[in-house]
Amino acid sequence: MGNKRQFRIWRGDETGGDLQDYTVEVNEGEVVLDVIHRLQATDAPDLACRWNCKAGKCGSCSMEINGKPRLSCMTRMSTFEEAETVTVTPLRTFPVIRDLVTDVSFNYEKAREMPAFAPPADVAPGDYRMQQVDVERSQEFRKCIECFLCQTVCHVIRDHEENKQAFAGPRFFIRAAELDMHPLDAKTDRKDHAQAEQGLGFCNITKCCTEVCPEHIKITDNGIIPMKERVVDRRYDPLVWLGSKIFRRGDTPQSTASSAGKESAVHSGARQAGVHSHAGGSHDPLAEVQAQQGVNWHREVPHPTAPAVDATGRLPLTELTFDRAAAPSPFGDDVTFPLPPEHLNFAHPSQDEKH
């Protein structure tokens, strides 16, 4: 037999409503969503609540529990004191439809405004090549389940309804960062779009979005701050400005290794001019040094690196056993994951876990 616990749940619709008190049975191991389902089966059959998977992966059951945006299916009752009244309210930032269900269409409108991934026109889908380091950098943002907890907690629109038209929110800032960090994305104005159209400048990095993320994505440290840094570089760095005046668009050198790649194409197996040096696979010390020094955050779309095959079309033994990536990464070839927590531009998702 479970214990009786006190709940206070907001009931109403777009015209208004108020908090109503309920006394409900709570059993060991249950989550808030379990209690809401029991209320629907007993005292409040007309209580509206959105949910789907009950496993913390669909993001449907977002609501505010004791004032903090959470997933009700992942909030265990054991986290509250037995004498504590659990208050459940709808997401504050979005219009109420009924009871705990809100209209989150704002987020889908912002999603439609986001420019889609643009693959390089001169590379066939089967020929895409990415380094694992590049995959890991953007893979974190792919964990987003679109629960929109980060959106509802962001004070830029939580407290200022008038900002919604000009502000996309943290969920779409990390989408922009993910695409901007993607080495095969051919769209070159992600940073300008984030600043001019998505309202990136409104964010003052309070990290409240990171605190509520159920997937523990480092939204601020890994996505928003790097995007802000690149916007500043693009707009205010005098060297970047001078380079944009000297080189025509599309002619900006990607790295000093590009020219070396042309000379050592026979070693790297490169099939097109101007590819990055096959640092490590080419066995050219000068090309490797140039590759590590030639990192350029503002590079145009990098071409995929062809594998260093021999005359028979097979990878040589040295390539298979080499302990470095086959091409230069934005971090440099001497960096291994996970990166240290004190790194200014990257905070590993698991750094806060206690071991």
Side-chain angles (χ1 to χ4, degrees):
M1 186 67 179
N3 299 324
K4 295 291 185 179
R5 302 286 291 273
Q6 293 297 317
F7 266 72
R8 183 169 294 165
I9 299 179
W10 194 91
R11 303 297 306 276
D13 53 28
E14 68 275 8
T15 62
D18 56 9
L19 293 168
Q20 296 185 16
D21 293 321
Y22 298 93
T23 301
V24 60
E25 177 185 325
V26 175
N27 300 312
E28 183 178 0
E30 288 188 330
V31 295
V32 171
L33 186 58
D34 291 323
V35 178
I36 292 176
H37 286 169
R38 182 169 292 116
L39 275 173
Q40 290 175 324
T42 56
D43 298 345
D46 59 340
L47 173 61
C49 169
R50 181 185 284 130
W51 71 284
N52 188 20
C53 74
K54 203 176 179 291
K57 291 301 177 185
C58 72
S60 299
C61 63
S62 301
M63 54 190 68
E64 301 198 6
I65 304 172
N66 283 3
K68 181 178 180 179
R70 304 170 185 253
L71 293 178
S72 60
C73 72
M74 299 299 290
T75 305
R76 295 204 172 273
M77 290 300 301
S78 58
T79 61
F80 306 108
E81 299 292 337
E82 287 195 10
E84 183 178 0
T85 298
V86 180
T87 303
V88 184
T89 56
L91 298 178
R92 171 178 160 183
T93 305
F94 309 119
V96 173
I97 296 177
R98 187 161 72 87
D99 297 340
L100 302 177
V101 179
T102 55
D103 180 3
V104 294
S105 59
F106 160 82
N107 301 285
Y108 298 106
E109 293 170 1
K110 293 301 179 182
R112 283 194 293 267
E113 296 173 3
M114 169 68 66
F117 172 77
D122 57 341
V123 181
D127 293 336
Y128 291 171
R129 297 292 183 271
M130 286 180 64
Q131 279 205 96
Q132 187 60 34
V133 65
D134 292 322
V135 173
E136 292 186 30
R137 291 181 68 229
S138 60
Q139 187 67 26
E140 177 190 4
F141 306 134
R142 301 288 293 181
K143 296 192 302 179
C144 176
I145 60 175
E146 296 201 325
C147 60
F148 305 129
L149 295 182
C150 61
Q151 297 285 86
T152 190
V153 79
C154 182
H155 61 275
V156 176
I157 52 177
R158 185 179 179 88
D159 300 323
H160 303 279
E161 182 75 17
E162 65 276 9
N163 288 338
K164 283 188 175 180
Q165 184 176 358
F167 187 75
R171 188 275 170 269
F172 300 104
F173 291 154
I174 64 170
R175 175 62 175 159
E178 172 202 340
L179 293 172
D180 193 53
M181 294 175 183
H182 199 300
L184 292 174
D185 183 41
K187 195 168 182 61
T188 59
D189 60 347
R190 298 282 179 193
K191 293 172 280 292
D192 294 335
H193 180 80
Q195 177 70 13
E197 304 296 334
Q198 294 184 283
L200 182 65
F202 280 100
C203 174
N204 57 6
I205 56 176
T206 57
K207 299 190 178 184
C208 51
C209 51
T210 301
E211 292 178 5
V212 300
C213 179
E215 288 294 323
H216 308 291
I217 302 172
K218 298 294 183 181
I219 298 173
T220 311
D221 292 332
N222 295 352
I224 296 178
I225 291 178
M227 283 294 286
K228 280 179 169 285
E229 290 174 344
R230 291 172 199 156
V231 168
V232 171
D233 287 345
R234 173 71 63 86
R235 289 175 174 265
Y236 303 110
D237 190 322
L239 293 179
V240 175
W241 177 86
L242 182 61
S244 67
K245 297 299 181 182
I246 295 177
F247 299 101
R248 293 179 300 171
R249 179 170 179 170
D251 291 343
T252 306
Q254 301 193 17
S255 75
T256 53
S258 298
S259 58
K262 297 178 182 179
E263 298 174 1
S264 59
V266 64
H267 300 291
S268 65
R271 288 173 294 184
Q272 47 188 312
V275 298
H276 288 303
S277 167
H278 202 44
S282 64
H283 310 294
D284 184 349
L286 177 60
E288 184 165 346
V289 171
Q290 290 175 330
Q292 295 189 32
Q293 294 178 348
V295 173
N296 180 8
W297 282 108
H298 310 286
R299 64 190 184 279
E300 295 293 326
V301 183
H303 297 295
T305 304
V309 295
D310 57 20
T312 63
R314 297 180 179 180
L315 287 173
L317 181 62
T318 53
E319 173 69 13
L320 295 173
T321 58
F322 201 74
D323 61 353
R324 286 193 179 182
S329 76
F331 290 113
D333 289 324
D334 58 340
V335 177
T336 58
F337 274 79
L339 295 178
E342 61 272 13
H343 196 292
L344 291 177
N345 293 329
F346 192 94
H348 196 267
S350 60
Q351 73 178 51
D352 295 332
E353 297 179 2
K354 295 181 180 179
H355 300 284

